[in-house]
Amino acid sequence: MKHKLISAFLSFVVLSSSCSSCSDDSDDNKGGDSPSASGLELVGDATTFTLDAEGASQDVILKLPSLTASVTASPSADWLTANKGLAPASGQQKWVVTATKNETGAERSATVDFLASGYDTPVTVTFVQPRLVPVDEMMPSDAKTLVSKIYAGINIGNTLEVPNSDDEKGETGWGNPRVNADYIAGLKALGFNAVRIPCAMHSHQTNSDTHTISSKWLDRIKEVVGYCVDNDMYVVLNSHWDTGWLEDNIFEPSRKKAILDEQTAIWTQVANALNKFDEHLLFAGCNEPGMNETTSGGHSWEKEADAAERLIAYEQAFIDAVRATGGNNAKRCLVFQGLGTDIGNTASFMKTFPSDPANPDGRLIAEVHFYEPYPWALMENDASWGKVFFYWGKDNHKDGSAHNPTWGEESHVESQMAKMKSTFVDAGIPVIIGEYSTRIRTRSTDDEEFDAELHKKSRAYYNEFVTKTAKNNGCATFYWETGGEIDRNTGKAKNQYAIDGIMAGAEQGKYPF
C-alpha cells in the first residue's frame, strides 16, 4: 500500500512539472529561440510621436513584465537620445526621448527600441520631426507688404483686455463669453482676414516684483491667437489699458523706470511664449498712451514735449524686448502707437519715432485710432456746446433735424487720413487704424423724431467711407466691436448693414504700396 502511494506521488510530480514547463513557455514568452512578445506594454495608444523642429522631449511610459525587470533603450539615429526618468507608478517605467534641433532642411524620423531583460522582442516607438523652417521663410514680409495683405480687420473688444487676476473671469468679466473657434471662423466667413486682440497682461501677473505673467493666461492667449492663425487671419496682439499702469502715466516722470522695467518684462515673456507663430502674428506695445491724460487730465503734448519722449522710450523698450528673444521675433512686424493714438496730436507733435536697428528692411507699423467726429462717433447726450449727430454723410441728412452733422464728414476723413500718409507712410512706415466705429442709436436724445433707417444707412456709409479712405492712404483698418454687431458665440452678424459697409470700403480701397 505504501509503495503504491509513493508511485502515485511521483507520477503527479512528473505531470505537474511537465505542465509547469508548458505554462512558462506560453505565458511569459521569456527566452527560448522564438519569443512571441516583448513583455512590455506602452501606456497609451500612441506608437508615433511628432517632436518640435526646434528640439523637444517626449515621455514614453512602459508597463513592465515584472517589478524586477530592467529595460534598455536603443535609438536608431544619433539625433535622438533616451534617458530613464522617474517612474510614474509601481510596475511602470518612464523614458524621456529627446531630439536635437532639426536643421537638415527636411523632415526626419527615427525609432527607439525598448527591450526588457530576458526578452528578445522590443517595443518600437517612432519619432517624427518636421524640418526647422528658417526665420526668413516664416517672416518673409516687410511691414508694407504685410499690411497690404490685410483686407479688413476687426477687434475682439471687451474680452481678453478685462483687468482681472482671475484668468477665467478676466475674459468674461465684461459680459462676453470666452472666445471660441466657431466665433473666429464666423469672422472669417463675414470677410475679415485680420483680428486685433486687446489684451490685459499687467493684471495677470502672479509676482508683481518680477512681473511674472500667469502661465495659464499665456497659454490662453496662445490658444486664441491659434484660432485666428488657423483661419489664415492676421493678428495684432496689443497690451491694452489694463488699469492704466502704462498709458495713464505717460505724463508722470517719476514712473519712468518702473514702466520701462515692466514693459521689458511683459514683452519678453509674451514674445517668448508666442515666438513660433509666423508673420500672421504682430505685436503692439501699447493702446492709447496718454489719451486719458490729455482729454481729461489737463496735460498737453504741445506744452509737455518730455511726455512724448517718454512714450517713445516705452515703445522702444517694447521693440528691444521683442527683438532680444530672437527666432521669428527677430523679424516680426511690430506696432507702435501715436500720441494718444490721436491723428491730430500725432501728426503735429510726434517729432521722432522709435527705431528698429535689427530690421533696416522696415518692420515697424504705426497705430492711431479714429472716433471722429466725436458728436457722431462717441457722444452720448446733447451738450450746451452742441447736439449729438444721428446721421452722417452728404446724402444722409434729415430735413429740419437738429442732429445733422455740422462738421467732420467726408472731407474731414480725407484730411485726417492724409495726415497719416504724409507723417508715416511716405516715411516708409505703414499705419493701422487700430479702432474705429460709431455708437448704435435707437432713439432720439430729445423730442425730435428719430429716423432709425437713416441712422443705419449713415453708419453703413461711414464704415464704408472710413475703410476705403484709410486704405487709399496706406492705413489698414480694425473695426471696434464688443458684441453688439456680431454674435460672440457663432460669429454671425447681428447688424449686417454695418458689416456690409466695412466690406464695401475694403473692396473699394487700394493701398498706395
Side-chain angles (χ1 to χ4, degrees):
M1 184 69 173
K2 185 176 181 180
H3 173 76
K4 289 182 179 180
L5 287 174
I6 293 173
S7 177
F9 175 77
L10 290 175
S11 297
F12 174 78
V13 169
V14 171
L15 180 60
S16 297
S17 175
S18 175
C19 290
S20 175
S21 176
C22 293
S23 175
D24 283 347
D25 189 50
S26 61
D27 290 348
D28 289 344
N29 299 297
K30 188 192 302 184
D33 295 329
S34 56
S36 59
S38 67
L40 294 171
E41 293 182 31
L42 279 171
V43 176
D45 296 329
T47 57
T48 299
F49 296 95
T50 299
L51 300 176
D52 192 279
E54 288 278 359
S57 296
Q58 173 65 51
D59 291 347
V60 176
I61 309 299
L62 300 167
K63 183 178 179 182
L64 303 175
S66 69
L67 293 177
T68 59
S70 62
V71 177
T72 58
S74 302
S76 66
D78 59 6
W79 55 271
L80 281 182
T81 57
N83 295 287
K84 193 182 299 183
L86 184 64
S90 177
Q92 294 183 352
Q93 195 170 95
K94 180 172 81 172
W95 286 82
V96 181
V97 178
T98 303
T100 60
K101 183 186 295 187
N102 183 5
E103 298 179 293
T104 65
E107 181 178 277
R108 61 187 179 182
S109 63
T111 60
V112 176
D113 286 341
F114 297 96
L115 183 64
S117 57
Y119 290 81
D120 295 330
T121 302
V123 165
T124 300
V125 181
T126 301
F127 297 88
V128 178
Q129 189 180 37
R131 72 185 181 96
L132 182 67
V133 182
V135 171
D136 286 345
E137 192 174 329
M138 293 286 282
M139 321 297 286
S141 302
D142 61 21
K144 283 187 175 181
T145 303
L146 192 144
V147 167
S148 71
K149 298 177 182 180
I150 296 176
Y151 183 73
I154 191 164
N155 280 268
I156 306 177
N158 287 6
T159 310
L160 279 87
E161 79 270 34
V162 180
N164 199 312
S165 59
D166 186 312
D167 294 338
E168 294 289 336
K169 293 179 181 178
E171 187 170 349
T172 61
W174 287 347
N176 278 314
R178 283 168 61 85
V179 176
N180 65 63
D182 288 343
Y183 164 65
I184 299 299
L187 295 180
K188 182 67 179 291
L190 288 175
F192 296 101
N193 79 326
V195 172
R196 180 173 179 262
I197 303 177
C199 191
M201 298 168 191
H202 168 84
S203 59
H204 288 273
Q205 294 177 19
T206 58
N207 186 318
S208 60
D209 293 330
T210 59
H211 305 298
T212 302
I213 302 172
S214 160
S215 59
K216 182 179 178 182
W217 185 242
L218 289 173
D219 287 343
R220 177 56 180 161
I221 295 171
K222 188 186 304 183
E223 182 177 38
V224 175
V225 170
Y227 293 156
C228 302
V229 174
D230 288 346
N231 279 278
D232 193 24
M233 301 174 82
Y234 294 91
V235 181
V236 176
L237 177 69
N238 92 290
S239 178
H240 214 65
W241 174 73
D242 200 8
T243 73
W245 70 274
L246 182 152
E247 70 175 62
D248 289 350
N249 287 287
I250 306 300
F251 287 82
E252 181 47 66
S254 66
R255 292 285 300 152
K256 184 174 181 179
K257 184 183 185 306
I259 290 175
L260 285 171
D261 289 347
E262 183 165 355
Q263 181 80 321
T264 298
I266 281 178
W267 280 107
T268 298
Q269 294 171 78
V270 173
N272 276 323
L274 280 70
N275 201 334
K276 292 177 183 177
F277 284 103
D278 69 5
E279 71 174 18
H280 281 78
L281 175 61
L282 302 81
F283 295 141
C286 308
N287 175 50
E288 294 177 340
M291 187 274 290
N292 290 331
E293 293 171 281
T294 54
T295 57
S296 59
H299 292 282
S300 168
W301 296 108
E302 181 179 14
K303 297 177 181 178
E304 301 173 72
D306 61 322
E309 294 173 2
R310 277 191 295 277
L311 174 56
I312 297 299
Y314 300 153
E315 293 175 332
Q316 192 66 57
F318 150 68
I319 293 167
D320 293 345
V322 173
R323 294 292 182 236
T325 61
N328 291 337
N329 291 331
K331 290 199 170 185
R332 190 175 306 284
C333 285
L334 304 178
V335 182
F336 67 91
Q337 288 64 42
L339 306 184
T341 58
D342 175 81
I343 288 178
N345 284 327
T346 296
S348 297
F349 307 119
M350 194 168 192
K351 303 304 182 183
T352 60
F353 311 144
S355 63
D356 189 13
N359 284 289
D361 54 343
R363 301 278 172 157
L364 294 184
I365 301 168
E367 178 183 3
V368 291
H369 297 171
F370 190 73
Y371 292 106
E372 301 177 28
Y374 173 76
W376 159 248
L378 294 176
M379 190 170 171
E380 295 185 63
N381 298 298
D382 295 340
S384 59
W385 51 264
K387 297 277 191 180
V388 171
F389 297 168
F390 293 161
Y391 316 109
W392 192 90
K394 58 184 175 59
D395 296 327
N396 297 323
H397 291 205
K398 180 182 177 183
D399 291 342
S401 174
H403 295 281
N404 287 321
T406 56
W407 68 281
E409 295 185 275
E410 290 92 340
S411 62
H412 176 74
V413 174
E414 291 172 334
S415 174
Q416 293 295 78
M417 297 305 170
K419 290 177 184 177
M420 292 297 91
K421 184 175 186 300
S422 62
T423 301
F424 293 114
V425 178
D426 292 346
I429 302 174
V431 178
I432 66 169
I433 308 298
E435 297 179 16
Y436 73 112
S437 69
T438 62
R439 285 190 175 277
I440 304 171
R441 305 186 190 281
T442 57
R443 61 182 177 82
S444 176
T445 57
D446 52 28
D447 293 333
E448 179 182 307
E449 183 178 348
F450 176 67
D451 189 330
E453 290 307 310
L454 186 59
H455 176 67
K456 292 178 181 179
K457 183 182 176 184
S458 297
R459 292 189 76 241
Y461 176 62
Y462 179 86
N463 289 353
E464 175 184 340
F465 194 85
V466 171
T467 304
K468 174 185 69 175
T469 307
K471 289 187 74 172
N472 287 342
N473 284 277
C475 307
T477 57
F478 289 78
Y479 191 66
W480 181 253
E481 206 286 314
T482 60
E485 312 260 30
I486 298 172
D487 187 287
R488 280 303 184 87
N489 291 302
T490 65
K492 296 184 182 299
K494 294 179 179 179
N495 293 331
Q496 187 65 50
Y497 71 87
I499 310 305
D500 289 345
I502 296 169
M503 296 306 156
E507 180 64 26
Q508 296 166 35
K510 305 298 178 186
Y511 292 112
F513 40 72

